[in-house]
Amino acid sequence: EGAEVTISGWMKGDSPPEKRWAEGLGFTWARRFLRMRIDMRAAPPEPAWPDGVTVRSFVLGQDETLMHEALEDAFSDHWGHVPAALEDLVRRTERRDFDAGLWFMAMDGERAVATATNSIIPDQIGWISGLGTVRSHRRRGLARAILLHSFGEFWRRGIRTVALGVDADSLTGATALYESVGMRVEQLFDQVRKVLRPGEPLDVRSAG
């Protein structure tokens, strides 16, 4: 009670006609997101893992809680993050596009400290999703390592184009990381929002 009520939508970035249309409906700009891609011409470099960290694929029926805890920690300070229940992750493993061999966990002992929950989307494009590092293990090269590990698996499967979506204002420097491994911006998308009922804004954190 007393909380602000809003609705959100998406439009093409840098599109004056769509911007005018959204503003005419009472929406204002909220955030920019990028779709980035790489078209691999050669096998990607081997990842460099920090001492004591290993990587393995997700094991269905065993790793759901480990993966869920790591994802929640890694994305808890991302812009607009809403905590997800373990059941939400379980439902993802029941989708037709789920492939345990494309979900990876970097392990420090018994704890998952970096994740990637990838898939293959239409046109045989590898899609990077859920790429994150828990807060206690950031700035150690884990995001780069698990990204390159993901590239390597797609390459072994004969998939040469890999894409992802990213918050343009990510405070972890995600965009710079992706550019450093050869990805480029392909499309811009702007999120817009409209206030339906004024009130106390919900806690929408900065990107992580």
Side-chain angles (χ1 to χ4, degrees):
E1 186 176 347
E4 181 180 74
V5 177
T6 66
I7 56 173
S8 298
W10 294 92
M11 67 180 191
K12 187 185 302 181
D14 287 338
S15 172
E18 291 192 23
K19 183 174 183 288
R20 288 193 297 270
W21 174 77
E23 289 175 344
L25 294 175
F27 286 85
T28 58
W29 183 89
R31 199 80 167 183
R32 171 157 290 178
F33 291 81
L34 313 174
R35 176 171 167 137
M36 302 182 72
R37 69 181 279 167
I38 183 172
D39 297 301
M40 296 185 287
R41 304 276 194 273
E46 287 296 320
W49 297 99
D51 290 343
V53 175
T54 58
V55 65
R56 65 175 177 82
S57 297
F58 178 87
V59 178
L60 187 63
Q62 169 187 297
D63 292 333
E64 284 81 357
T65 298
L66 277 177
M67 179 67 86
H68 175 257
E69 290 175 350
L71 285 167
E72 285 301 300
D73 187 310
F75 289 93
S76 63
D77 55 357
H78 278 219
W79 185 81
H81 175 73
V82 177
L86 174 61
E87 290 73 20
D88 295 334
L89 184 138
V90 171
R91 279 193 288 271
R92 290 181 63 189
T93 68
E94 297 168 350
R95 288 168 31 173
R96 292 179 61 183
D97 64 349
F98 169 71
D99 183 337
L102 289 173
W103 281 30
F104 304 115
M105 302 190 303
M107 304 296 297
D108 185 354
E110 298 300 313
R111 184 187 182 199
V113 294
T115 61
T117 55
N118 308 321
S119 60
I120 299 172
I121 61 176
D123 298 323
Q124 284 297 101
I125 294 173
W127 183 256
I128 302 287
S129 178
L131 186 80
T133 304
V134 301
R135 287 166 291 176
S136 62
H137 284 65
R138 289 177 181 169
R139 309 303 176 191
R140 302 187 191 181
L142 281 168
R144 174 184 293 272
I146 206 163
L147 177 63
L148 291 175
H149 184 79
S150 299
F151 283 178
E153 180 58 27
F154 284 127
W155 178 268
R156 284 187 286 275
R157 294 183 181 213
I159 292 173
R160 301 296 181 254
T161 298
V162 182
L164 54 77
V166 61
D167 179 350
D169 293 319
S170 170
L171 296 179
T172 60
T175 303
L177 166 63
Y178 302 145
E179 289 175 337
S180 75
V181 296
M183 302 192 83
R184 67 183 189 281
V185 175
E186 181 181 35
Q187 291 174 294
L188 308 176
F189 296 96
D190 287 341
Q191 188 179 72
V192 293
R193 62 194 295 270
K194 179 178 181 178
V195 176
L196 298 181
R197 186 186 72 193
E200 190 69 25
L202 295 177
D203 178 22
V204 179
R205 283 164 273 222
S206 295

